C-alpha cells in the first residue's frame, strides 16, 4: 500500500486561504468518500478536522473544509490564523484484492507568514 | 468524557518483544473499531493496524504483518498491540485511536514511545 501524496509544505498570510492536496489512487481516495484530515501541533496528538471527505466534527471551525475530485482530496483553510500553523495529514480507507486498511499521506507543514 | 490512555512503551533491543495497551473509558468500547497509528521521531503518521468491534477481524500494514498482533478485551475495555521481532525502524510514538468511518477518528490517546535500540 503506497502512502497518499501531499505537498511537503504550504504557506499563507493571515486572512488568506490555502488548499492542501492529497492524491491517492482508485483503490483508496478515488473509490471511497472516506478521506479524513488531521491537524497536528508539535508534541501533540493529531486532531480530526474533516471526516468522510467533507464533514466537520463538532467544535471544528467552519474555516476548514474538505472536498474531492477523482483520486485527489483537498483541505481548504480560509481566513488563515496564526494558530493554524501545524502539520496536516490526510488519510483514506483503502480496499483492494491485496489490501484492506488505512493509508496516510506524508504530511504537509503549513506556515502562517 | 472519552479517554484513551496508552501504556507499555519503553526501550527494547532489536529482535525483542513488547506489548502495548490502550485503556478506554467514557464510551461503549465494545461498539467501536479501534486503530493503532505510529509516528517515528520527526516523521509523519503511519497506520499500523485496526480491529473490529468484537475482535473477529483485523488488518495490518505490510511493514508489521506477521510481527505485530492487535487484539482487544472488551470486558476490560482495553486494546492491545503485541509487537514481536522488533526492528530499529519500529521506533516511534504509538497512538491508539477510536474509529470513525473506517479511519482513526476524533479520539486519540497521548501516545507511548517505543525505542528499539541495542
Amino acid at each position: 500500500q503506497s502512502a497518499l501524496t501531499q505537498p511537503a509544505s504550504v504557506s499563507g498570510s493571515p486572512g488568506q486561504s490555502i488548499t492542501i492536496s492529497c492524491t491517492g489512487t482508485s483503490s483508496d481516495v478515488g473509490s471511497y468518500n472516506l478521506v479524513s484530515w488531521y491537524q497536528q501541533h508539535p508534541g501533540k496528538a493529531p486532531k480530526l478536522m474533516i471526516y468522510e471527505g467533507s464533514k466537520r466534527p463538532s467544535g471544528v471551525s467552519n474555516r476548514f473544509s474538505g472536498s474531492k475530485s477523482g483520486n485527489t482530496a483537498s483541505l481548504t483553510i480560509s481566513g488563515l490564523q496564526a494558530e493554524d500553523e501545524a502539520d496536516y495529514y490526510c488519510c483514506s480507507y483503502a480496499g483492494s484484492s491485496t489490501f484492506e486498511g488505512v493509508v496516510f499521506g506524508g504530511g504537509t507543514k503549513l506556515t502562517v507568514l | 468524557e472519552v479517554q484513551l490512555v496508552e501504556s507499555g512503551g519503553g526501550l527494547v533491543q532489536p529482535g525483542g518483544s513488547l506489548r502495548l495497551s490502550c485503556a478506554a473509558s467514557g464510551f461503549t468500547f465494545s461498539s467501536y473499531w479501534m486503530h493503532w497509528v505510529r509516528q517515528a521521531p520527526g516523521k509523519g503518521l503511519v497506520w499500523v493496524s485496526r480491529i473490529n468491534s468484537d475482535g473477529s477481524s483485523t488488518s495490518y500494514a505490510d511493514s508489521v504483518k506477521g510481527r505485530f498482533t492487535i487484539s482487544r478485551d472488551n470486558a476490560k475495555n482495553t486494546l492491545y498491540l503485541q509487537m514481536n521481532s522488533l526492528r530499529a525502524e519500529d521506533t516511534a510514538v504509538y497512538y491508539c485511536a477510536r474509529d470513525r468511518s473506517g479511519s482513526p477518528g476524533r479520539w486519540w490517546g497521548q501516545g507511548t514511545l517505543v525505542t528499539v535500540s541495542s
Side-chain angles (χ1 to χ4, degrees), chain A residues 17-20 37 62-67 74-78:
Chain A
S17 295
I18 63 94
T19 297
I20 300 172
W37 289 90
N62 60 9
R63 298 185 299 104
F64 292 82
S65 62
S67 63
S74 298
L75 173 72
T76 298
I77 309 174
S78 59

Side-chain angles (χ1 to χ4, degrees), chain B residues 37-85:
Chain B
V37 176
R38 69 184 182 184
Q39 186 169 35
K43 302 296 185 181
L45 301 173
V46 175
W47 177 79
V48 173
S49 182
R50 71 97 180 128
I51 187 167
N52 70 345
S53 55
D54 66 4
S56 62
S57 172
T58 60
S59 181
Y60 299 90
D62 285 348
S63 58
V64 306
K65 196 174 297 183
R67 300 188 299 123
F68 290 12
T69 302
I70 190 172
S71 63
R72 64 192 299 159
D73 185 334
N74 285 342
K76 294 183 177 180
N77 291 340
T78 302
L79 174 73
Y80 301 102
L81 185 68
Q82 177 67 44
M83 304 186 296
N84 298 331
S85 302

Side-chain angles (χ1 to χ4, degrees), chain A residues 27 95-100:
Chain A
S27 294
S96 70
S97 59
T98 58
F99 175 73
E100 182 273 326

